[in-house]
Amino acid sequence: MNSRYESLQIPEDARIWTYGLPQQLSGTERKVLEEEIGAFVSGWAAHGQRLDAGFHILEDRFLILWVDERQQAATGCSIDDSVSFIRSLSEKLGTDLCDRNRVFFRSVSGS
């Protein structure tokens, strides 16, 4: 792993979802995103069992959502709940976090 991202501390066997934004978040948007996703993650459950989950906002451009499935696996319903939440969050931010047509890359120069 690139040492730049080692501080994310995502469990090695975690299930990970990455959502990309079409533009960098403003400070206000980041605050809204952190509050909303933090509240969601703290109550996220599968079959009544709380999920050991977390999130990171990377470079104000990517939302990384993860579940450490060693204690409780994410199930179809809990994954559907997360997608529903992400869609509602997209509306709040005025963007589409679920746009599958978006492609991200980083050039050698880092841009």
Side-chain angles (χ1 to χ4, degrees), residues 71-89:
Q71 295 176 14
Q72 173 65 42
T75 62
C77 291
S78 62
I79 294 168
D80 288 348
D81 288 344
S82 72
V83 172
S84 178
F85 168 76
I86 293 295
R87 289 188 191 284
S88 70
L89 189 57

Side-chain angles (χ1 to χ4, degrees), residues 13-111:
D13 57 349
R15 182 180 272 192
I16 300 170
W17 295 266
T18 303
Y19 298 93
L21 292 149
Q23 72 284 333
Q24 284 192 308
L25 293 166
S26 69
T28 303
E29 290 170 326
R30 183 182 176 104
K31 184 176 179 183
V32 167
L33 187 63
E34 287 174 336
E35 290 172 359
E36 296 282 333
I37 195 76
F40 172 77
V41 166
S42 69
W44 196 13
H47 299 291
Q49 297 293 313
R50 187 183 177 290
L51 294 172
D52 181 12
F55 72 96
H56 294 285
I57 299 170
L58 185 61
E59 297 182 7
D60 287 326
R61 193 75 188 258
F62 301 96
L63 169 59
I64 301 170
L65 180 63
W66 58 266
V67 173
D68 183 348
E69 295 189 308
R70 290 178 290 186
Q71 295 176 14
Q72 173 65 42
T75 62
C77 291
S78 62
I79 294 168
D80 288 348
D81 288 344
S82 72
V83 172
S84 178
F85 168 76
I86 293 295
R87 289 188 191 284
S88 70
L89 189 57
S90 292
E91 287 180 27
K92 228 176 227 185
L93 294 172
T95 191
D96 183 3
L97 288 162
C98 296
D99 183 352
R100 295 182 193 150
N101 296 314
R102 202 172 291 130
V103 176
F104 296 91
F105 72 95
R106 180 176 301 274
S107 68
V108 174
S109 68
S111 58

